[in-house]
């Protein structure tokens, strides 16, 4: 009993301890949850104001203070509506991890704290789900973090879009294009160690699922003057330092370079090394990125050779030399550098030396050659270096575009990312700052227009009354710069093209004449200038009142920089280079294509590029990232308010906030609004069962918010003043505290009640266990006694029953024996009686039968006697006739009796055989090979013939079901089997594919209407094939058309017919025996179609195309077309015979065969 009781106490104690522990854990969890508030809105746990639209009061001081407060708490992102302000922290923050990416993925824009990922996700989801093309405009001054922001946008999109081998390859190529462009387009400046010295706009193309397909990059205004001269404290482009630091000794020797930076005049020495930058490691990164993007090894080497040539151009120096006629000319001091440059580029040394010393001017049919003095020679050298590097950079962008462009022709969605220089105001502002600020004026114009348009569309969509917003329209400034008649750029171009003496001063005089009355233009000579006596406005300057402030431009260099002249002698010298890349960079140097027309100026080119960019941006949904630099020291934790204030002004951020707040400062959908504030009204708390809008109306009426402070839209509530929103937030915070107190009170009461009930339950359980034990023990004692008594009683009863059963059994056995004997006696007596009765009945039947028999026998005897007499006569006659027949045919009968018996036997066997065959016939399926076994050996040939006849019959029955179209398809399949079975490895995979012929549906596609009208015959095949280029082995998509009499090739995009070959001129088709789709069509020598040689194609439907070509040719020419299957065959390319050889090889692009021209006599196809 004690043991059982102790066990009961232990069990209940464990239950109690577990319950208490569980309650303690619940209490701790609830306390933790009470301390931690789940963030479901931008307004939760706000540091400062997360959205500047809600800033109150709104002025420049509060704007900067809010940014500083958030910056000090590592909150570098702030919203202005849907615009993201990004302050460069100049250090690494843990806010870009994969976990953060998942936090912002598929979340509402205002649901979490401001972040660049929120804007990226909003843009990506709008593109993917709403099918809206997007663009992300990233602006700010140098060092504000624009390049890093564009990388973060691209990395986020790459992280959240689809997966897969092809998709990952596209994403990797898009991301790896950045290191290449940064190496060649970025440089260290006093403001930024990795400053982009060019504007970049990338269109990332997506398919309908939101997976990236490729991209297109556009570059704007590379700062090529940096190649020849850098300001103090700045570096040249990164690639020069990376090449000298990271290249191997072997590569440097090949490029004729030395590792010492001081050896090169184009490299500044005071900032050659940058703290925290490993140029050698970056060089390896760039080489690897070029390989991933798709640069071939020889292309990468060619690029580095051009970079080395640019470096060495800076080392060429000139000396003056007087001629006989008294004119000065220039000579190269040390020709060793020139010699090395010519070896690198493959240019004749004398040609390049003359180009540096003379200038040829062509006018109509006359050529005038003049000598260059030392200053002009240095200008020509620097112009060549700048043009060479600038054109190399443009070539790199085009080459990257070729690799990353979308390969498919399906409709694409586009997300554009614009990373372009911000507004620039320096001490000395020249032509570069002028056109950069012009671009920013255009961006500001489209920004205001699109922002207002977005606001107006939302008000109209929500049925809110639209109020006009007053804002500064900078169209007047854009017109001052870009007007085609009186604009500054137009006048600059006119001055550059004007004959006579043209200088920067004449350009300024023209500006003073035409723009003097413009309110945003100022100079010493302008009528509206307020600084006529101010010496801070020199004579050689003019000032423009931009939207971001006044900028003073030095007019010196405007004309030369706009002309951007490169002497024709240098262009022609570059075109004569043996270096393929350099030659392609200077197409105007070709003497056969001399164009005396003056090339477009730098200003007009940039103006056209900006116009194209603006047109592109207006077709997309804009998203803005405004980058701000907190200090000039590139140091963390420093916030320079004056510098930030300057950027806020020229970025127009306060103007942006005012535009956003002109109508309603805050808007939110009814459902989240009601969910957030429903606890402030008893009618809506805890659950509102009606429409969300009705709940919000009840809520606002209950809170007695003035009607003029809000307005109800179709799907959103619009709040005019931020104070109203903050009042709601304060009420919500107070109500949450009250609710938390109520929850704690209820929880503590529940906890105490639960503990009391648990203790009470434990006491009851212990008492119950003890009573149970006592009753169990007493019960066991009573039970054992009862069992003993029961056993004795059951024994006595059992013995008594056994005696009774034995006596009863003996009585039953005696009665059974007596009854058996009695029944036997009775049965025997009945049997004797029945036998006697049966004998009496049988005797009567026998007597009657005997009498009837006697009577019948007498009648039978009479009939027989009468029949015998008749039969005797017939028998005698028959015997007589038989005797006569036997005498006459005895010999004949003996000779043929055996044969008749044999034939009869055989006939019966055959009859039996056919009857059995009837029941054992197989199914009517032609592929069923079952057939009954033969029963007799002599029927073997018959059995086989029957099997053959039956198979032919059921095949005929099966064929009778085919239509004419199906019969034609099977005839073509049969023809393909005879031509390619066991000969071409590709054949088995084509057996199950139906021959369709018309894959393009030319009759239905309006794109090919012109092509359809040009072809009058019936089209047998219409398929897109890859035509192999005879020169380099690359492929081009062409439409392959086969008609009854001709074979045609057409351009896939335009539908224009490129080649037409009569079938009578086709002599042979060659292909390999391997699993590839390459085939060659040989043409009859001397025919008009064979002027360029044979055709080499690649197709996914090779078997079908070859079969149809074979049948069509046979039908028209009555001659069989020769099909040659061999892993090596010859084709005629113009005048050369080229061997096409198929080899086995591992392919980088998977299972796709590749074709490469090895030399003039060999074209190699690598088959996986």
């Amino acid at each position: 009993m004690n043991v059982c009781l102790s066990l009961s106490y232990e069990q209940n104690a464990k239950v109690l301890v577990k319950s208490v522990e569980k309650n303690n854990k619940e209490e701790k969890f609830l306390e933790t949850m009470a301390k931690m508030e789940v963030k479901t809105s931008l307004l939760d746990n706000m540091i400062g104001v997360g959205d500047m639209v809600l800033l109150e009061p709104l002025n420049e001081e509060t704007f900067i203070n809010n940014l500083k407060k958030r910056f000090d708490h590592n909150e570098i992102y702030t919203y202005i509506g849907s615009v993201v302000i990004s302050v460069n922290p100049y250090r690494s923050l843990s806010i870009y991890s994969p976990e953060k990416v998942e936090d912002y993925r598929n979340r509402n824009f205002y649901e979490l704290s401001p972040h660049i990922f929120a804007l990226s996700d909003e843009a990506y989801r709008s593109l993917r789900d709403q099918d809206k093309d997007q663009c992300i405009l990233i602006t700010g001054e140098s060092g504000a973090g624009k390049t890093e922001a564009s990388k973060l946008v691209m990395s986020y999109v790459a992280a959240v879009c689809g997966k897969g081998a092809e998709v990952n390859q596209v994403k990797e190529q898009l991301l790896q294009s950045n290191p290449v462009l940064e190496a060649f387009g970025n440089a260290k400046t006093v403001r930024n160690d990795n400053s982009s010295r060019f504007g970049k706009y990338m269109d990332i193309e997506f398919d309908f699922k939101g997976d990236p397909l490729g991209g297109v990059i556009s570059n704007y205004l590379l700062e090529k003057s940096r190649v020849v001269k850098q300001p103090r404290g700045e570096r040249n482009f990164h690639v020069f330092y990376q090449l000298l630091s990271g290249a191997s000794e072997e590569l440097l020797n090949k490029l004729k370079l030395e590792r010492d930076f001081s050896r090169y005049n184009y490299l500044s020495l005071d900032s050659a090394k940058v703290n925290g930058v490993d140029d050698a490691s970056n060089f390896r990164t760039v080489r690897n990125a070029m390989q991933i993007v798709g640069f071939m090894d020889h292309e990468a080497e060619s690029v580095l050779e051009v970079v080395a040539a640019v470096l060495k151009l800076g080392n060429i120096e000139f000396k003056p030399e007087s001629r006989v006629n008294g004119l000065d000319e220039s000579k190269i001091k040390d020709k060793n550098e020139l010699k090395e440059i010519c070896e690198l580029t493959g240019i004749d040394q004398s040609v390049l030396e003359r180009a540096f010393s003379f200038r040829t001017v062509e006018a109509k049919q006359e050529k005038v050659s003049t000598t260059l003095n030392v200053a002009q020679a240095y200008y020509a050298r620097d112009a060549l270096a700048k043009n060479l590097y600038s054109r190399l950079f443009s070539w790199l962008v085009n080459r990257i575009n070729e690799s990353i462009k979308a390969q498919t022709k399906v409709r694409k969605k586009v997300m554009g990312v614009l990373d372009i220089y911000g507004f620039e105001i320096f001490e000395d502002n020249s032509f570069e700052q002028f056109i950069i600020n012009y671009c920013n004026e255009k961006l500001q114009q489209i920004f205001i227009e699109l922002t207002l348009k977005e606001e107006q569309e939302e008000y109209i969509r929500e049925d809110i009354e639209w109020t006009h917003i007053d804002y500064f329209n900078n169209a007047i400034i854009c017109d001052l710069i870009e007007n085609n008649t009186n604009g500054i750029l137009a006048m600059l171009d006119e001055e550059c093209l004007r004959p006579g003496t043209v200088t920067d001063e004449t350009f300024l005089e023209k500006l003073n004449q035409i723009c003097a009355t413009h309110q945003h233009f100022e100079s010493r000579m302008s009528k509206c200038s307020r600084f006529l006596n101010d010496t801070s406005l020199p004579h050689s300057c003019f000032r423009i009142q931009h939207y971001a402030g006044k900028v003073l431009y030095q007019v010196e260099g405007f004309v030369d920089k706009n002309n951007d002249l490169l002497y024709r002698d240098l262009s022609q010298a570059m075109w004569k280079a043996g270096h393929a890349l350099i030659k392609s960079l200077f197409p105007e140097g070709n003497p056969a294509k001399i164009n005396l027309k003056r090339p477009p100026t730098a200003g007009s080119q940039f103006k056209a590029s900006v116009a194209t960019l603006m047109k592109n941006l207006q077709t997309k949904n804009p998203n803005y990232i405004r980058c701000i630099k907190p200090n000039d020291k590139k140091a963390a934790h420093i916030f320079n308010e004056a510098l930030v204030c300057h950027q806020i002004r020229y970025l127009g951020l306060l103007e942006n906030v005012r535009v956003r707040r002109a109508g309603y400062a805050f808007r939110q959908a009814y459902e989240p609004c009601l969910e957030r504030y429903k606890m402030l009204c008893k009618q809506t708390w805890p659950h509102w069962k009606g429409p969300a809008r009705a709940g919000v109306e009840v809520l606002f009426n209950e809170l007695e918010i003035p009607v003029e402070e809000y307005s109800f839209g179709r799907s959103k509530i619009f709040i005019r003043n931020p104070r109203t929103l903050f009042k709601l937030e304060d009420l919500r915070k107070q109500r949450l505290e009250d609710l938390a107190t109520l929850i704690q009170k209820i929880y503590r009461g529940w906890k105490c009640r639960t503990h009391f009930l648990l203790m009470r339950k434990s006491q009851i359980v212990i008492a119950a266990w003890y009573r149970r034990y006592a009753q169990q023990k007493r019960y066991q004692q009573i039970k054992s006694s009862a069992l003993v008594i029961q056993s004795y009683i059951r024994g006595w009863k059992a013995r008594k029953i056994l005696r009774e059963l034995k006596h009863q059994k003996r009585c039953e056995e005696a009665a059974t024996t007596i009854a058996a004997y009695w029944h036997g006696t009775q049965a025997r007596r009945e049997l004797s009686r029945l036998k006697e009765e049966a004998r009496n009945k049988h005797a009567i039947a026998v007597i009657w039968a005997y009498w009837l028999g006697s009577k019948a026998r007498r009648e039978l005897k009479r009939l027989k006697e009468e029949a015998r007499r008749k039969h005797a006569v017939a028998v005698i006659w028959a015997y007589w006739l038989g005797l006569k027949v036997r005498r006459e045919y005895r010999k004949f009968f003996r000779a043929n009796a055996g044969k008749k018996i044999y034939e009869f036997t055989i006939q019966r066997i055959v009859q039996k055989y056919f009857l059995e065959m009837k029941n054992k016939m197989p199914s009517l399926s032609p592929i069923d090979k079952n057939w009954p076994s033969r029963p007799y050996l002599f029927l073997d040939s018959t059995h086989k013939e029957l099997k053959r006849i039956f198979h032919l019959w059921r095949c005929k029955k099966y064929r009778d079901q085919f239509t004419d179209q199906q019969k034609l398809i099977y005839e073509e399949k049969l023809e393909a089997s005879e031509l390619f079975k066991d000969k071409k490895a590709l054949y088995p995979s084509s057996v199950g594919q139906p021959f369709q012929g018309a894959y393009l549906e030319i009759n239905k596609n309006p794109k090919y209407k012109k092509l359809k009208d040009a072809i009058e015959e019936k089209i047998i095949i219409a398929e897109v094939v890859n035509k192999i280029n005879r020169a380099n082995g690359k492929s081009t998509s062409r439409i392959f058309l086969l008609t009854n009499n001709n074979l045609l090739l057409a351009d896939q995009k335009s539908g224009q017919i490129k080649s037409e070959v009569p079938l009578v001129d086709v002599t042979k088709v060659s292909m390999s025996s391997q699993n590839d789709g390459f085939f060659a069509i040989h043409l009859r020598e001397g025919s008009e179609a064979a002027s360029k040689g044979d055709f080499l194609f690649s197709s996914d439907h090779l078997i079908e195309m070859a079969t149809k070509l074979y049948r069509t040719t046979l039908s028209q020419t009555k001659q069989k077309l020769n099909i040659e299957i061999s892993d090596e065959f010859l084709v005629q390319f113009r005048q050369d015979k080229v061997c096409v050889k198929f080899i086995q090889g591992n392919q980088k692009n998977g299972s796709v065969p590749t074709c490469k021209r090895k030399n003039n006599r060999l074209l190699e196809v690598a088959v996986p």
Side-chain angles (χ1 to χ4, degrees), residues 11 519 698 725 883 1108 1111:
Q11 291 172 354
Q519 58 182 341
V698 170
L725 181 66
L883 181 61
K1108 288 183 180 289
R1111 288 173 59 85

Side-chain angles (χ1 to χ4, degrees), residues 1112-1152:
T1112 307
T1113 305
L1114 179 63
S1115 173
Q1116 296 301 320
T1117 63
K1118 308 304 180 185
Q1119 294 180 355
K1120 291 185 177 180
L1121 182 63
N1122 184 13
I1123 304 291
E1124 178 187 359
I1125 300 178
S1126 173
D1127 287 345
E1128 288 189 20
F1129 54 80
L1130 294 176
V1131 292
Q1132 185 76 31
F1133 285 172
R1134 294 188 183 275
Q1135 304 303 322
D1136 300 329
K1137 284 192 177 294
V1138 178
C1139 175
V1140 181
K1141 184 178 181 180
F1142 292 80
I1143 62 171
Q1144 295 286 337
N1146 294 326
Q1147 300 302 312
K1148 295 181 180 179
N1149 54 350
S1151 61
V1152 180

Side-chain angles (χ1 to χ4, degrees), residues 572-618:
Q572 293 176 350
M574 292 296 105
W575 187 83
K576 293 176 182 178
H579 196 281
L581 176 56
I582 293 179
K583 186 171 184 176
S584 67
L585 295 180
F586 293 87
E588 75 275 12
N590 188 353
K593 299 180 180 179
I594 291 179
N595 185 5
L596 299 180
K597 184 178 179 181
R598 191 181 184 93
T601 61
S604 61
Q605 292 181 31
F606 187 75
K607 177 182 173 183
S609 299
V610 169
T612 303
L613 176 63
M614 297 303 115
K615 185 177 179 181
N616 191 0
L617 295 179
Q618 285 178 336

Side-chain angles (χ1 to χ4, degrees), residues 668-678 681 683-685 687-701 710-717:
Q668 190 176 28
Y670 289 122
E671 289 79 4
C673 180
L674 180 62
E675 186 66 26
R676 185 168 182 82
Y677 302 113
K678 63 182 180 181
C681 175
Q683 299 179 47
T684 58
W685 176 260
H687 299 293
W688 173 260
K689 297 183 180 180
R693 173 170 176 167
V696 174
E697 291 178 356
V698 170
L699 175 66
F700 275 54
N701 291 333
Y710 62 89
S711 182
F712 293 104
R714 295 182 185 274
S715 62
K716 296 180 181 179
I717 175 74

Side-chain angles (χ1 to χ4, degrees), residues 139-398:
T139 56
E141 71 172 45
S142 179
K146 301 188 298 297
T147 302
E148 288 301 317
S150 67
K151 290 180 184 178
L152 289 171
V153 171
M154 293 177 63
S155 63
Y156 179 84
V157 173
V160 301
C161 64
K163 309 295 181 185
E166 294 184 3
V167 174
N168 289 338
Q169 181 182 3
V170 171
K171 291 193 291 189
E172 187 67 16
Q173 286 186 335
L174 291 173
L175 294 176
Q176 290 300 324
S177 64
N178 278 325
V180 180
L181 294 177
E182 286 183 10
F184 287 86
N186 289 22
K188 188 261 181 189
T189 65
V190 292
R191 297 185 174 185
N192 187 2
D193 290 343
N194 187 32
S195 175
S196 297
R197 306 317 298 160
F198 70 103
K200 182 179 72 172
Y201 177 74
M202 173 184 281
D203 268 336
I204 308 173
E205 299 172 335
F206 298 83
D207 62 8
F208 70 97
K209 298 177 294 184
D211 295 340
L213 297 173
V216 179
I217 300 174
S218 302
N219 65 299
Y220 301 94
L221 192 66
L222 176 72
E223 188 189 13
K224 57 185 178 182
S225 61
R226 181 172 292 271
V227 175
V228 299
K229 185 180 179 181
Q230 305 90 42
R232 185 172 183 81
E234 298 189 2
R235 292 205 315 177
N236 209 324
F237 292 103
H238 292 328
V239 68
F240 296 113
Y241 305 92
Q242 292 173 358
L243 174 60
L244 296 179
S245 300
S248 63
E249 292 295 337
E250 179 184 358
L251 180 58
L252 288 177
N253 293 334
K254 184 178 179 181
L255 298 177
K256 306 184 185 304
L257 296 175
E258 299 179 18
R259 206 174 290 280
D260 185 8
F261 294 158
S262 62
R263 289 277 294 111
Y264 304 101
N265 296 331
Y266 280 165
L267 300 183
S268 60
L269 300 179
D270 56 341
S271 301
K273 294 291 184 181
V274 181
N275 293 332
V277 176
D278 187 353
D279 288 319
S281 175
N282 290 340
F283 180 72
R284 292 189 291 272
T285 302
V286 171
R287 289 299 299 268
N288 182 55
M290 293 177 76
Q291 186 176 6
I292 292 173
V293 171
F295 282 82
M296 306 296 288
D297 291 339
H298 71 274
E299 290 178 326
E301 291 177 2
S302 297
V303 170
L304 295 180
E305 288 170 356
V306 176
V307 173
V310 172
L311 264 182
K312 298 186 78 63
L313 273 174
N315 291 348
I316 295 179
E317 296 182 348
F318 302 93
K319 60 182 179 179
E321 187 173 303
S322 298
R323 301 183 68 183
V324 179
N325 57 6
L327 296 175
D328 289 337
E329 67 176 16
S330 62
K331 291 292 182 181
I332 297 175
K333 288 183 180 180
D334 183 7
K335 296 185 179 181
N336 185 49
E337 293 284 354
L338 181 66
K339 179 184 177 183
E340 291 182 350
I341 291 174
C342 293
E343 290 176 355
L344 275 174
T345 59
I347 304 175
D348 186 89
Q349 184 173 344
S350 61
V351 174
L352 188 57
E353 184 176 1
R354 176 174 174 78
F356 280 134
S357 303
F358 294 89
R359 178 186 179 189
T360 303
V361 179
E362 297 185 21
K364 297 183 179 179
Q365 301 300 323
E366 297 181 0
K367 290 186 179 180
V368 179
S369 181
T370 60
T371 60
L372 300 178
N373 58 32
V374 173
Q376 291 172 332
Y378 276 116
Y379 173 82
R381 180 200 68 177
D382 292 345
L384 176 60
K386 290 188 291 184
N387 272 273
L388 189 57
Y389 191 83
S390 175
R391 298 184 189 203
L392 173 64
F393 186 78
S394 298
W395 180 87
L396 280 170
V397 172
N398 293 332

